[in-house]
Amino acid sequence: MATKQFHYEELLADYSDPRGAIALLKQHRPYLEMIPSMRRPDESVITIPLPVIRVRQAGMSGTSGGATVGAGEVVRLPCDVAVLMCDPEWKIKTGIEIFVFIYRPEEDFSDLLGRWRHTQVLLDKGYEWLMPSRYQHILNDAAEQTQPLFVILPGTPERIRRGLKGACLPFIVQSMDDLEDDALEPLQSLAAEASAEALKEAED
């Protein structure tokens, strides 16, 4: 099955929610273990879709056109979602950031890998996050560890999977069916709780 734009949009929308991002990280255990608190995962993960940073140092942008980025300039990163780890007790960002790259229709291996390389160049200049309003109070210094995670689909060309393996870059193959199942789990849980509550009331 060929990857369509709506597949990309579905994945982007799902990973924009912390619960969707956590479900993604469950498919790559080393990253799942980076979550500060598995007892409070929703408070330990901040997701920023199509993220934006403020660059601290001027320099080349890393694009093929050779454009420059000025100090203090705001730029959008070429990743799809940034996943930041947060200590739920102290409400501060930890030193680990994961950058999710979702395969886009018509992308080839060089395009997908190039987005990560461009991200690396921009982050190397020093940066601060433009955080969502609900996280404005959280300290957002640059990370000590920046890690990529690539998401491909069953219909993604085989050479992309081969290339990611060759470059030793972590990736998962996301089935849209699995995504729908994950989305249904909270609804099924709520339905079960409602049924149990209704049964209890009937017994009373």
Side-chain angles (χ1 to χ4, degrees), residues 24-150:
L24 171 64
L25 298 184
K26 284 180 179 177
Q27 300 179 69
H28 186 68
R29 190 171 184 82
Y31 288 176
L32 180 67
E33 293 174 351
M34 293 178 179
I35 297 177
S37 173
M38 286 307 298
R39 289 182 301 171
R40 299 163 64 181
D42 288 354
E43 299 177 52
S44 299
V45 171
I46 299 171
T47 53
I48 309 177
L50 306 181
V52 176
I53 59 170
R54 188 184 308 278
V55 176
R56 289 179 176 162
Q57 301 174 25
M60 301 296 288
S61 70
T63 59
S64 58
T68 58
V69 176
E73 186 175 341
V74 173
V75 297
R76 181 181 140 188
L77 293 176
C79 67
D80 298 297
V81 181
V83 182
L84 316 183
M85 303 300 177
C86 178
D87 187 309
E89 293 292 336
W90 295 96
K91 305 297 182 185
I92 58 173
K93 190 174 74 63
T94 68
I96 299 168
E97 296 171 356
I98 298 169
F99 297 86
V100 179
F101 296 84
I102 305 169
Y103 172 72
R104 297 173 179 175
E106 308 304 326
E107 256 187 338
D108 216 325
F109 176 58
S110 61
D111 302 310
L112 185 59
L113 179 60
R115 290 203 280 134
W116 166 232
R117 298 306 185 209
H118 186 191
T119 299
Q120 289 179 291
V121 170
L122 291 172
L123 297 180
D124 188 59
K125 303 178 191 314
Y127 62 96
E128 63 183 61
W129 290 100
L130 270 65
M131 299 286 279
S133 57
R134 65 178 294 193
Y135 299 116
Q136 290 289 332
H137 61 289
I138 293 177
L139 296 175
N140 61 357
D141 289 340
E144 297 168 8
Q145 293 185 50
T146 57
Q147 304 286 350
L149 181 59
F150 295 85

